[in-house]
Amino acid sequence: LAAEAVYDSARPAITLSSLKGVVARTPIALEAPVNVPLGGQLRIEGLALALGDGRVALDVTQRPGALSATARAQKVPLGLLIALTGQTTEAGGTLSGDVTLAGQGRTGNGTADITIAPVTLSSLVGADVSEIPEFILDADWDGRLVKARLTADMPGTEDLIATASLPVTARDGMPYVAPKARLEARLNGTLDVGAVWPLMPVDGHLMAGLLKLDMTAQGPFADMDISGTARLEGGLYEGLETGVVLSPLNVSLETRGGEADVTVFARDGTTGTLAGEGSFDLRDTATDRLKVDMDMTSFRVQGRDDLTALASGDIKVRWARGVDGAVEPLTIGGDVTVERLEARIPDQLASDV
């Protein structure tokens, strides 16, 4: 990006006269010069940016004890927003909506109405593309409480709906969240794992399936009580480098009071099985964050064209809680017997082999 601005020390003020550039293949340009006073208050009027075929407009006025702000987005490219977060996911779709915020002294109000549609995601250029028809976010602040609702239109199944409320007051015209403010939130519906998988920061792995969720969160952020269930039935996992396949993959998680019971059962795409159960514990009294014991029976642990292997045995997965909550490495151990191993020599080898 390249910008041109002039500082006027007599007023004082800054005039932004030009802003041009390209980010994530999206042209960005300032539509008209903008004057920003630098006195006792902040005032930005008529700031408008052209973002490809989309547009963002912003007006903000802040003075001691008071705030007024409005923002409007029209068809802002989702790929640009994803790129600004540092992710490499290829994303299509646009974001449109309005946000308003006003406060004076101990009173305030605000609204948000945002739609993202249609959303297309791909982890790599030229890879399979997943699509989510629509995300809708509605939020309202009455000076005492923020209430929000997010609806994701999942293709071919029920919608995924998240609702939340949080006490937010006004202090000197600005939104203020008390340190021990209690969040009340619920997540209910079905998540299409394959549709959102391109957003996951993992390479060489694929997952798909419908994850049914019914989760609640209550309490202050520092001591949240999370409870509910999450179930994946008939899912699919594939390791692209090893050729490992889990299909069908069934996972169940039931959580309460910071501790979750986990059960897993999967086949390797044929007759081999992998079954396990354990717990996931976020409490400060936990010895292990994750503790899962699994039993593997004639399971295909390698499924590449040049190498296949079947194995049976017991596997223990542990993720210890470090001193004072420090992060510790995940450990995997156990007794495993390789029942069959087949390696194929390529038809053509290097001249020095």
Side-chain angles (χ1 to χ4, degrees):
L1 291 175
E4 294 181 3
V6 177
Y7 173 66
D8 185 347
S9 59
R11 301 179 59 180
I14 292 178
T15 299
L16 181 63
S17 58
S18 175
L19 177 66
K20 293 182 179 180
V22 177
V23 177
R25 301 191 297 275
T26 302
I28 298 176
L30 184 69
E31 292 186 353
V34 177
N35 182 263
V36 182
L38 300 178
Q41 68 176 17
L42 172 66
R43 187 174 76 250
I44 301 175
E45 296 180 346
L47 173 60
L49 291 174
L51 307 172
D53 295 330
R55 183 177 187 267
V56 168
L58 178 67
D59 293 283
V60 179
T61 300
Q62 183 183 14
R63 64 179 190 276
L67 170 70
S68 175
T70 61
R72 170 167 290 182
Q74 297 173 308
K75 296 184 178 181
V76 175
L78 183 60
L80 171 63
L81 302 179
I82 294 291
L84 291 176
T85 68
Q87 293 223 39
T88 58
T89 299
E90 292 288 317
T94 60
L95 180 148
S96 298
D98 298 279
V99 177
T100 65
L101 185 64
Q104 185 166 351
R106 292 187 174 274
T107 63
N109 61 83
T111 62
D113 183 3
I114 297 172
T115 299
I116 307 175
V119 179
T120 60
L121 301 170
S122 176
S123 56
L124 297 169
V125 177
D128 291 340
V129 175
S130 61
E131 181 172 339
I132 302 173
E134 189 175 61
F135 285 93
I136 298 176
L137 172 65
D138 295 306
D140 180 78
W141 177 46
D142 62 4
R144 299 180 301 275
L145 190 70
V146 169
K147 294 182 179 180
R149 177 186 175 95
L150 174 66
T151 301
D153 184 2
M154 290 287 119
T157 186
E158 62 179 328
D159 292 345
L160 182 66
I161 299 174
T163 58
S165 63
L166 179 70
V168 179
T169 58
R171 178 175 290 187
D172 295 329
M174 299 289 291
Y176 173 76
V177 180
K180 294 185 178 181
R182 289 180 59 86
L183 174 71
E184 303 282 342
R186 185 182 183 191
L187 180 64
N188 181 260
T190 301
L191 175 67
D192 187 335
V193 177
V196 300
W197 188 254
L199 291 175
M200 300 296 104
V202 289
D203 296 326
H205 305 271
L206 292 176
M207 278 200 72
L210 298 180
L211 179 63
K212 295 184 180 296
L213 297 162
D214 189 1
M215 308 287 292
T216 61
Q218 300 176 327
F221 290 105
D223 188 23
M224 193 75 64
D225 181 12
I226 300 175
S227 62
T229 60
R231 290 188 173 88
L232 176 70
E233 297 180 355
L236 167 69
Y237 164 82
E238 183 177 358
L240 301 182
E241 294 183 359
T242 62
V244 171
V245 173
L246 303 179
S247 177
L249 170 62
N250 300 322
V251 181
S252 175
L253 183 147
E254 296 186 10
T255 179
R256 61 199 174 279
E259 183 179 14
D261 294 328
V262 181
T263 60
V264 179
F265 179 82
R267 295 190 181 277
D268 60 3
T270 55
T271 59
T273 61
L274 180 68
E277 60 182 20
S279 62
F280 183 71
D281 197 338
L282 294 177
R283 296 175 299 181
D284 290 339
T285 57
T287 301
D288 292 308
R289 292 296 189 201
L290 179 66
K291 181 179 179 180
V292 178
D293 296 329
M294 294 187 291
D295 180 65
M296 185 167 55
T297 304
S298 298
F299 190 81
R300 189 182 300 273
V301 294
Q302 288 283 342
R304 304 196 319 239
D305 291 339
D306 61 338
L307 181 65
T308 60
L310 299 182
S312 295
D314 300 321
I315 301 175
K316 300 182 183 297
V317 180
R318 299 290 186 269
W319 183 23
R321 177 184 178 274
V323 179
D324 295 328
V327 177
E328 294 289 335
L330 184 74
T331 62
I332 301 176
D335 297 320
V336 176
T337 300
V338 177
E339 299 176 349
R340 189 177 73 190
L341 176 67
E342 295 182 5
R344 297 172 180 82
I345 300 176
D347 294 335
Q348 293 183 346
L349 298 174
S351 58
D352 59 345
V353 174

